[in-house]
Amino acid sequence: MKRYYDLWLARIRNLLRAAQGRPVALLVLFGLSLINLSSEWPSNIPRPAFVAALDETLPDSFKTARQLLFDQYQRRFPRIPAAQPVTIVEIDDATLATVGQWPWPRNRLASLIDAIAALKPLAIGLDIYMPEPDQTSPDKVAGNLPATAAALAAGLRALPSHEAILARSLRAAPTILGAAALDHPTFAASTDMRSAPILVHGTDPLARVQRFDYVLASLPELQAAAHGQAMLSVALEQGVVRRIPLVMGLGEKLVPGLPMEMFRLATGSSAIDVFADASGVQAVGVADAQVPTQPGGDIWLHFASIRSTLNRYVSARDILQGTVDPERFRNKLVLVGLTGTGVTDMRTTALGELVPGIEVQAQVIETIFEGRFLRRPTWLKWAESAFIMTFGLLIIWYVPRTQSRFAGFLRAVPKGSTILGVFLHLLNLFCCFYIFIRFGLLVDAASIFIILSAVMGCFFAPALLHFGERSGTEARTPPG
């Protein structure tokens, strides 16, 4: 067994020493660069079959490191809100204790919408969907009464249904209903929903955006009464929200996310504009505002800490009791959502904070309002790859030269390679972080570090193997 081990160790050492390690270093450089590129293949170039197979074989090779690095960018430099265009009406524990458990009868929700509308907001978005009839509605209650209560049943059927009451409130206020995208059918799911027109300028991007076949939307009567419908879905990557789609595909049509639909209604626009080319969506716009996006129609969200946004929350109980300041709602974009214990949809952000789902929607609106976007355009990936290849080839050409100044430096300073390596990687990280702060660009310092470190390691590995082999021999040699 020991003989085979020594034989393989010698072969590996000889392979690394061949042509001063350059062939192996070239193989490592090109191989890791291809794996890195396959993990984030540009959408405007058809992906070869072998690249797709490589990505399936090594699905998280560089993606996880990249995401964790981008999270660290945000944790070191979170967004500080400069404005507060959004007010969140939270159906919190205090509201549930006062008004009653969730779900409420629809007429009670109508009362809340009427109270908010009286405060003159620009738009009201409901992070709530109601796909089934209200079982507390008078006609439903009448259907459950015994035959001996025929007179009472007739009186109840003469009353308007709770859906009719809520529809009247939705129609009278600038309201938007949310809907949940599904990739599988359920009892209450449908394949379509009412939505405002989306005008595509350029190439049809339907094949590039996130697509769903089913949606959990509110009842058609409620959809017809509201002034807009929008998707509430967010993209999760390993359980963390990092990117938010502004437009999505439902079947064979484009539908808006809640933030863009809120802006459309607030500006009085009849449609949402999508600007796209062969590589995918370039921007999504409403009126004169355009939001630069990733090719999939999504944006990287620069999160603010929940500690800096708590003052946007108002308890629904206070609104129903009429004890709120009207200025917190006048000309604001109002979101209504659940935050009560056991009924809220909690999400983990890139900052590592657990926040209500409605907070994520609010931060998207806030980001668009301030015009502070994070971007990772296609050209940036190519620029990173070009830098890695150029610097990697420079290392392969220069480092093995025994008469170079670098070789002389290493002979004079034994720990010089470690010091230089640490310095260069810190410089790389600092430059990428500065670009993030200054321009909002997400540069993948992690891939640069991993690949170039592996290339450098090809030249130091023979020496390490030789040292390990020599140490082992000395340990086996008896003294004297």
Side-chain angles (χ1 to χ4, degrees), residues 408-420:
F409 170 74
L410 293 184
R411 287 193 293 268
V413 185
K415 295 184 179 179
S417 60
T418 302
I419 297 171
L420 182 61

Side-chain angles (χ1 to χ4, degrees), residues 120-386:
K120 305 300 181 183
L122 292 175
I124 305 171
L126 278 74
D127 188 2
I128 300 167
Y129 37 90
M130 298 162 279
E132 297 177 346
D134 184 351
Q135 296 303 311
T136 66
S137 197
D139 57 326
K140 299 295 182 183
V141 174
N144 291 323
L145 293 177
T148 55
L152 177 58
L156 288 173
R157 289 191 178 96
L159 297 175
S161 69
H162 288 175
E163 275 76 33
I165 295 172
L166 178 57
R168 186 164 57 243
S169 297
L170 292 173
R171 192 175 292 110
T175 53
I176 297 169
L177 289 175
L182 300 173
D183 54 12
H184 58 276
T186 65
F187 173 74
S190 60
T191 57
D192 197 9
M193 71 174 189
R194 287 173 174 261
S195 60
I198 292 184
L199 303 180
V200 176
H201 305 269
T203 305
D204 185 359
L206 190 61
R208 304 290 186 189
V209 302
Q210 188 176 11
R211 295 179 67 178
F212 301 91
D213 294 322
Y214 303 95
V215 63
L216 195 62
S218 295
L219 294 167
E221 179 182 1
L222 302 179
Q223 290 190 50
H227 296 264
Q229 335 290 324
M231 291 289 199
L232 296 169
S233 302
V234 299
L236 292 178
E237 297 171 304
Q238 298 177 332
V240 178
V241 178
R242 297 182 177 94
R243 297 190 288 180
I244 310 296
L246 299 185
V247 291
M248 286 161 274
L250 178 59
E252 296 301 318
K253 76 173 187 179
L254 291 172
V255 293
L258 181 60
M260 296 310 300
E261 185 68 353
M262 293 283 285
F263 278 108
R264 182 196 68 80
L265 186 58
T267 58
S269 302
S270 59
I272 293 172
D273 297 300
V274 172
F275 301 87
D277 57 22
S279 64
V281 180
Q282 299 301 307
V284 177
V286 171
D288 296 330
Q290 287 189 20
V291 182
T293 67
Q294 299 299 120
D298 55 343
I299 61 170
W300 289 85
L301 186 56
H302 193 177
F303 282 95
S305 173
I306 185 68
R307 294 186 296 274
S308 66
T309 65
L310 290 176
N311 59 349
R312 65 159 134 251
Y313 286 80
V314 177
S315 175
R317 181 190 62 177
D318 296 338
I319 295 174
L320 291 171
Q321 293 177 348
T323 60
V324 297
D325 179 4
E327 291 304 314
R328 299 189 66 180
F329 293 84
R330 192 181 308 277
N331 296 326
K332 293 290 184 71
L333 301 177
V334 175
L335 295 174
V336 182
L338 297 158
T339 63
T341 304
V343 296
T344 186
D345 179 23
M346 303 298 289
R347 302 290 187 180
T348 302
T349 71
L351 300 182
E353 298 177 334
L354 196 63
V355 304
I358 195 69
E359 171 67 20
V360 176
Q361 303 292 342
Q363 295 223 16
V364 178
I365 294 173
E366 198 170 67
T367 297
I368 296 173
F369 183 84
E370 296 178 0
R372 297 164 64 185
F373 310 112
L374 296 183
R375 298 181 61 212
R376 184 162 172 75
T378 301
W379 64 261
L380 184 57
K381 183 65 180 180
W382 289 116
E384 290 169 0
S385 298

